[in-house]
Amino acid sequence: MSETKKKILVVDDEPDIVSMLKMRLEANGYEVITAGDGNAAYEKAKSAAPDLIILDLMLPGMDGYQVCRLLKFDEKYRHIPIIML
């Protein structure tokens, strides 16, 4: 019986931070998808439906506050927990 991995979207414009978080989360059995800016984060959140989003505040394009606001005001995505980084 195979258990599906929980999916986490990691959003940060600093590649070292993304790499470190991805490595640690994957080592603990999570599937990790990443985005480097606010627009990509919003699109990936909608298409991948992650179980959790770890979201940086200062991002190119849309900032983390805007991404969070758009997701929380949308009935389809408001249930996704977001940790602001």
Side-chain angles (χ1 to χ4, degrees), residues 23-81:
M23 182 181 61
R24 295 300 303 149
L25 292 168
E26 286 177 342
N28 283 284
Y30 295 98
E31 177 184 344
V32 179
I33 53 177
T34 63
D37 64 63
N39 296 322
Y42 182 61
E43 292 305 317
K44 285 189 178 183
K46 292 191 318 181
S47 65
D51 297 292
L52 172 70
I53 300 171
I54 299 176
L55 181 62
D56 186 25
L57 296 178
M58 304 301 291
L59 294 168
M62 239 190 302
D63 68 24
Y65 293 111
Q66 291 170 305
V67 174
C68 183
R69 191 174 302 117
L70 285 171
L71 292 171
K72 291 303 178 183
F73 282 126
D74 190 319
E75 271 307 310
K76 277 177 91 174
Y77 310 107
R78 71 176 346 146
H79 70 281
I80 302 171

